[in-house]
Amino acid sequence: MTKKKKKKDVKKVEVKETKKLSKRTKICILIGCILVVLLIGFLIYYKVTSKFRYESFVKKIETNYGDKYEIKAPDVCYGNKIKCHNIKPKIKGKVDINKLGDNKIEFEYKYKKNKLVLKQTVKVKDLKEPEIVLNDEEVLVCPNGKILKLNLSVNDNLDGDITDKIQTTLNEKELVIEAEDGAGNKAQRKIEVEPKDDAKPIITINGKTTMSVIKGIEYNDQGANVTDNCDDNIQITTTGSVDVNTVGTYKITYSATDTAGNSNSATRTVSVKEREVGNKVVYLTFDDGPGAYTQKLLDILDKYNVKVTFFVTNQFPKYQNMIGEEARRGHTVAVHTLTHRWNVYESVDAYLADFEAMNDIIEQQTGSRTKLFRFPGGSSNRIYCGHNKTSVPDIINAMNEKGNVYFDWNLSSGDAGGTVSTDQVVKNVTSKMKNNSVVLQHDIKGFSVNAVEKIIQYGLNNGFTFKALDENSPTAHHGVYICK
Ligand SMILES: [Zn+2]
């Protein structure tokens, strides 16, 4: 009985021990399970949190034209905070630094099956301001800011030499030079200066500084011009005057003062002299009138007491009375033609009839007939050939027999041809005027009549005497054209 009990107790202990073991196993399994769950969780976390990672990425970059540019790929890795694999990108696109504008760059990152593309725009711009280089230290500036001397050059990377585009401003003793290139980049340079103006204005007398005029002839002063280193608009003051009716020496003074107070003056000496009776003679002659401008011409001639010759026509009968006026004022009246039609050259008789008819009118107006005449078109005209090939030589013979004298001219004013301006008529006549000039003008042309005053003034100032033609005057024959 005791033995049995003992056996029973042993069994009980074993069971107890077995029961204890299985509890431990259970704990182990539990821990194992937790670990597995954690591992799976970690793996899931690892997988889920893995991605491309990079700090900052600038989508748009600006770079200066012409400057070296290196494409810089952003640092990108794939992974998570625990582990991240660095990846080298594939770069697509390039940057042309010599061309203004946008350049597109792509950075392509690959990790296993994952891909990331980062797009970047690199804008090539002119970001550089022009460069102002002072070539000479000496800079001269007027008090008003006008630059007298400034030797510099302004160069721009893109626009090249833009020296002529500088702007300057003077702030007391500081000269500010500014330049801006086409892209709007501005450069500025400041220079210390001593603004000053110690130069006098420069006065230039128009025309001659010493001149003489004939007593009684109108004097028009041509004035003077003034220029100044610093000031643009300086007034000129003129003092003195010329009394053309009193012989003597007159001084006309031109003076000017600039803003800095520098003054200057210049003087013209004008001598008024008695009219000398020159030994050079000029014969002014006027054809085709009288007409609308004859009265005006007569008044100009009276003003200078100059006598001329009128070769008259009856083209404008309402001015017939002017023929008498011409004679009364001491001028020579001679025949040009009654009609000024070319059919006067059809025969000697036709010519003589025209001549006598005009002479009749002259006689009515002046009380006497004339022996002086001028051929329409001049004695050298070729028009007569189309009417009668011997008329002009025959007319000359017939007229000579009657004691008539014809006059041509040796100085044409050009007023019948290409010349249509008063100034040109003056120039044509005065440039060729010499002793015994027989000048041809037309008093039916206003612009030509307007030239007479200046022609007379020129002549009187240059020792010429104006005379009217008479039977003994130079005839200035052209020579007859022989028809073929
Ligand atoms: Zn004529």
Side-chain angles (χ1 to χ4, degrees):
M1 235 358 241
T2 324
K3 268 189 178 177
K4 259 190 182 179
K5 215 183 173 179
K6 270 187 182 173
K7 266 190 181 175
K8 250 189 179 177
D9 288 346
V10 171
K11 260 189 178 177
K12 271 182 182 174
V13 173
E14 277 176 1
V15 170
K16 265 187 182 171
E17 285 201 344
T18 313
K19 273 184 181 173
K20 269 186 184 172
L21 265 175
S22 80
K23 238 183 194 175
R24 214 180 274 167
T25 310
K26 271 182 185 173
I27 289 165
C28 282
I29 290 166
L30 188 68
I31 292 167
C33 286
I34 290 166
L35 285 174
V36 169
V37 168
L38 283 174
L39 184 67
I40 292 169
F42 174 75
L43 287 173
I44 290 168
Y45 164 81
Y46 195 93
K47 184 81 176 170
V48 168
T49 57
S50 280
K51 59 177 182 181
F52 289 102
R53 291 171 184 272
Y54 51 91
E55 286 201 339
S56 58
F57 172 61
V58 188
K59 286 185 175 176
K60 282 186 177 171
I61 293 180
E62 289 187 347
T63 186
N64 186 40
Y65 175 88
D67 281 2
K68 200 178 169 190
Y69 182 78
E70 220 172 287
I71 296 173
K72 213 181 155 202
D75 291 331
V76 174
C77 65
Y78 189 88
N80 51 39
K81 283 176 181 167
I82 299 160
K83 177 131 184 82
C84 203
H85 303 272
N86 286 322
I87 311 162
K88 272 200 168 177
K90 203 167 130 187
I91 300 172
K92 288 183 189 170
K94 56 181 181 176
V95 175
D96 183 355
I97 47 107
N98 293 315
K99 200 176 143 191
L100 295 174
D102 290 346
N103 297 270
K104 306 272 185 199
I105 309 292
E106 278 186 22
F107 302 101
E108 192 184 286
Y109 298 87
K110 269 185 183 168
Y111 184 76
K112 292 183 181 168
K113 285 185 176 173
N114 303 294
K115 197 168 115 177
L116 170 73
V117 176
L118 295 177
K119 292 182 178 176
Q120 191 174 55
T121 304
V122 180
K123 194 180 192 80
V124 176
K125 275 179 85 174
D126 179 12
L127 300 168
K128 205 174 173 189
E129 72 267 19
E131 198 188 359
I132 301 173
V133 180
L134 199 60
N135 301 322
D136 189 339
E137 289 298 316
E138 192 185 34
V139 176
L140 300 177
V141 185
C142 291
N144 62 9
K146 184 176 172 183
I147 306 292
L148 297 176
K149 187 183 175 192
L150 177 62
N151 182 357
L152 52 73
S153 43
V154 183
N155 279 293
D156 185 60
N157 59 333
L158 210 72
D159 302 346
D161 187 346
I162 54 166
T163 309
D164 56 347
K165 289 185 179 152
I166 61 155
Q167 296 218 320
T168 59
T169 322
L170 180 68
N171 299 322
E172 293 188 6
K173 292 190 169 188
E174 184 185 65
L175 184 69
V176 182
I177 303 157
E178 286 172 305
E180 186 176 342
D181 70 11
N185 300 300
K186 288 176 187 170
Q188 195 188 64
R189 188 155 179 177
K190 293 175 175 176
I191 303 170
E192 280 292 306
V193 289
E194 282 291 337
K196 64 175 175 183
D197 176 11
D198 47 17
K200 291 173 179 177
I202 296 166
I203 295 170
T204 315
I205 291 177
N206 297 325
K208 293 176 181 171
T209 52
T210 304
M211 56 191 292
S212 57
V213 293
I214 303 300
K215 183 182 165 186
I217 295 180
E218 197 180 337
Y219 170 74
N220 290 312
D221 194 75
Q222 289 173 268
N225 288 321
V226 61
T227 54
D228 187 64
N229 59 334
C230 287
D231 300 303
D232 287 334
N233 292 307
I234 301 190
Q235 293 299 313
I236 211 160
T237 309
T238 307
T239 50
S241 61
V242 176
D243 177 2
V244 292
N245 295 314
T246 310
V247 169
T249 302
Y250 300 86
K251 289 197 186 296
I252 297 191
T253 301
Y254 313 93
S255 48
T257 304
D258 68 14
T259 350
N262 304 302
S263 294
N264 203 358
S265 66
T267 301
R268 187 201 312 270
T269 306
V270 182
S271 304
V272 175
K273 293 179 176 171
E274 283 295 351
R275 185 187 294 192
E276 289 169 34
V277 180
N279 49 8
K280 295 184 286 184
V281 180
V282 175
Y283 302 90
L284 298 182
T285 70
F286 298 89
D287 284 13
D288 293 5
Y293 308 101
T294 307
Q295 179 67 59
K296 184 180 180 184
L297 173 59
L298 288 172
D299 293 342
I300 295 167
L301 297 172
D302 275 3
K303 183 174 168 186
Y304 295 94
N305 192 24
V306 162
K307 306 302 174 200
V308 304
T309 304
F310 290 94
F311 287 97
V312 298
T313 69
N314 194 39
Q315 294 184 96
F316 311 99
K318 78 172 198 181
Y319 296 105
Q320 255 185 24
N321 64 314
M322 284 283 109
I323 294 174
E325 197 59 29
E326 289 164 359
R328 274 191 291 283
R329 296 196 191 197
H331 304 293
T332 295
V333 174
V335 173
H336 190 28
T337 156
L338 181 79
T339 63
H340 215 300
R341 293 211 184 101
W342 303 117
N343 60 11
V344 295
Y345 291 123
E346 275 172 6
S347 65
V348 172
D349 286 348
Y351 194 89
L352 291 179
D354 176 270
F355 174 85
E356 295 303 343
M358 190 65 234
N359 227 344
D360 288 346
I361 295 173
I362 291 172
E363 189 174 10
Q364 283 164 25
Q365 297 294 332
T366 68
S368 59
R369 301 181 82 79
T370 178
K371 289 191 175 298
L372 313 187
F373 73 105
R374 175 173 280 167
F375 283 102
S379 69
S380 60
N381 83 82
R382 299 179 180 202
I383 298 152
Y384 83 94
C385 302
H387 294 268
N388 176 339
K389 290 186 176 180
T390 63
S391 59
V392 168
D394 292 345
I395 291 163
I396 290 173
N397 288 333
M399 293 293 263
N400 280 344
E401 273 174 34
K402 290 174 178 286
N404 296 321
V405 185
Y406 74 91
F407 291 81
D408 286 315
W409 59 89
N410 53 27
L411 203 176
S412 172
S413 68
D415 69 352
T419 301
V420 290
S421 81
T422 297
D423 288 348
Q424 193 59 46
V425 170
V426 173
K427 201 178 162 195
N428 290 349
V429 176
T430 58
S431 65
K432 293 178 193 153
M433 191 182 282
K434 58 181 186 184
N435 187 33
N436 285 336
S437 284
V438 179
V439 180
L440 172 67
Q441 281 187 261
H442 294 79
D443 56 322
I444 56 168
K445 298 201 172 178
F447 71 89
S448 191
V449 168
N450 290 339
V452 172
E453 186 154 11
K454 282 192 175 164
I455 290 170
I456 291 174
Q457 288 178 358
Y458 172 87
L460 295 178
N461 282 328
N462 288 280
F464 288 94
T465 300
F466 291 93
K467 283 188 181 173
L469 293 169
D470 60 39
E471 287 174 48
N472 302 312
S473 302
T475 49
H477 284 172
H478 290 170
V480 177
Y481 177 75
I482 305 300
C483 304
K484 294 184 178 85

